[in-house]
Amino acid sequence: MMIKYIFYFLAFVSVFSALMVVVSKNPVHCVLYLIMCFFSIAGHYILLNAQFLAAVHVIVYAGAIMVLFLFVIMLLNLNTQSEPHKSTWLKFAAAITSGLLLVILVGTLKGSETMVMPLGNPNAGLIKNLGITLFKDFLLPFEVSSILFLVAMVGAVMLGKKEIK
Amino acid sequence: MSTIQAIPLNWYILLSAVLFVIGVLGVLYRRNAIIIFMSVELMLNAVNLLLTAFSSYRGDSAGQVFVFFIMAVAAAEVAVGLAILIVIYRNTSSTDINFLNKLKW
């Protein structure tokens, strides 16, 4: 029973902070709300018995990515005054479009059965099992992702240079 | 009692659908390129949550390894994307995407 209430609370926090990311005027507030959303999603991971993923999520998203966002916003000196606005008509159209998407996504769920029994190993999210899967079955993608990081690093440095001669 | 028995999988599907739709709303609703970027991150997180839920309910750790790779790709994407954003700001002195209409029509 307790787990249910924790789920409700975390779901409320994540949906509320995600909405505030979209509607708040100040970009710095958007970043702070997004960090709140990421922390509540990390709580969901812990509820799902995926502790390693929760730790990595907090470190990578709340730690690295959001600091990068905050850094860029403060570098560009964005604030409420410089915030561009869409026309009311376009905002209305955006709300209608995403509402329809939500109706479609929820509609596909209708009539589906709820899974009650766990099928496999309940400790699938622990570091040991995750590490065995990562370095046994997914070794090649793991190595390829290091090349991806190298390419991203070189690309970011190239783009960030003042001018290319 | 574990989470698997207490919470039906459908709730997680609904929650991640709602988070994904809020991300789509952010992309359509805002004109600031940085906020659009954050909404894309929100969508990626909704998908991550769904993958983790399915992986935990099936007891198969391959799904969580997939989430790990999505996080790696998201980190690389943010680095390059923010670098592009800084170049845009340097050229137009704003992050309004309506100034970037050379490719329109």
Side-chain angles (χ1 to χ4, degrees):
Chain A
M1 216 58 227
M2 189 67 193
I3 287 172
K4 238 175 197 173
Y5 290 118
I6 296 173
F7 175 84
Y8 283 140
F9 174 72
L10 285 175
F12 172 76
V13 169
S14 47
V15 169
F16 168 78
S17 51
L19 268 178
M20 289 308 286
V21 170
V22 174
V23 298
S24 54
K25 295 266 187 289
N26 193 336
V28 177
H29 291 178
C30 287
V31 171
L32 295 179
Y33 276 120
L34 196 55
I35 290 173
M36 195 166 129
C37 185
F38 285 162
F39 270 103
S40 64
I41 288 177
H44 279 299
Y45 288 157
I46 291 172
L47 266 191
L48 283 168
N49 208 10
Q51 290 95 336
F52 179 64
L53 220 54
V56 169
H57 188 266
V58 168
I59 291 168
V60 170
Y61 273 105
I65 290 181
M66 296 327 288
V67 166
L68 215 59
F69 268 108
L70 213 56
F71 210 70
V72 167
I73 284 175
M74 292 184 172
L75 193 72
L76 302 188
N77 200 14
L78 299 178
N79 48 33
T80 321
Q81 282 81 41
S82 64
E83 181 65 16
H85 281 292
K86 272 187 171 169
S87 65
T88 319
W89 179 242
L90 274 175
K91 283 181 175 174
F92 191 65
I96 294 276
T97 312
S98 46
L100 283 177
L101 181 65
L102 181 63
V103 168
I104 291 170
L105 285 178
V106 173
T108 50
L109 262 184
K110 198 172 162 260
S112 63
E113 283 169 31
T114 308
M115 210 156 131
V116 279
M117 280 290 286
L119 291 171
N121 182 9
N123 294 327
L126 300 187
I127 295 181
K128 191 183 166 197
N129 296 312
L130 214 57
I132 288 172
T133 316
L134 182 61
F135 290 109
K136 231 183 214 167
D137 303 337
F138 295 92
L139 186 60
L140 184 66
F142 180 77
E143 296 295 340
V144 170
S145 70
S146 67
I147 298 175
L148 174 80
F149 275 125
L150 182 68
V151 170
M153 200 172 74
V154 171
V157 170
M158 279 299 287
L159 284 168
K161 275 172 80 171
K162 203 77 184 169
E163 49 193 60
I164 299 153
K165 280 165 192 162
Chain B
M1 194 167 75
S2 79
T3 320
I4 310 278
Q5 278 108 46
I7 299 167
L9 181 57
N10 279 7
W11 294 6
Y12 276 107
I13 302 176
L14 275 176
L15 174 65
S16 43
V18 169
L19 283 178
F20 187 85
V21 166
I22 291 172
V24 172
L25 176 70
V27 170
L28 295 173
Y29 191 80
R30 298 299 290 259
R31 264 172 50 184
N32 191 339
I34 289 185
I35 314 282
I36 290 177
F37 242 128
M38 285 195 240
S39 304
V40 171
E41 291 299 314
L42 208 57
M43 285 195 266
L44 280 171
N45 268 285
V47 174
N48 277 354
L49 181 62
L50 190 59
L51 270 173
T52 315
F54 274 119
S55 150
S56 289
Y57 277 74
R58 263 197 75 82
D60 185 354
S61 49
Q64 297 185 18
V65 172
F66 222 85
V67 172
F68 200 66
F69 285 125
I70 293 178
M71 281 180 188
V73 171
E77 173 237 328
V78 163
V80 175
L82 288 176
I84 291 175
L85 215 76
I86 287 179
V87 175
I88 289 172
Y89 186 82
R90 207 178 278 156
N91 287 324
T92 65
S93 330
S94 127
T95 52
D96 189 349
I97 53 162
N98 273 29
F99 288 124
L100 311 171
N101 52 7
K102 296 262 163 55
L103 282 177
K104 222 173 173 183
W105 308 123

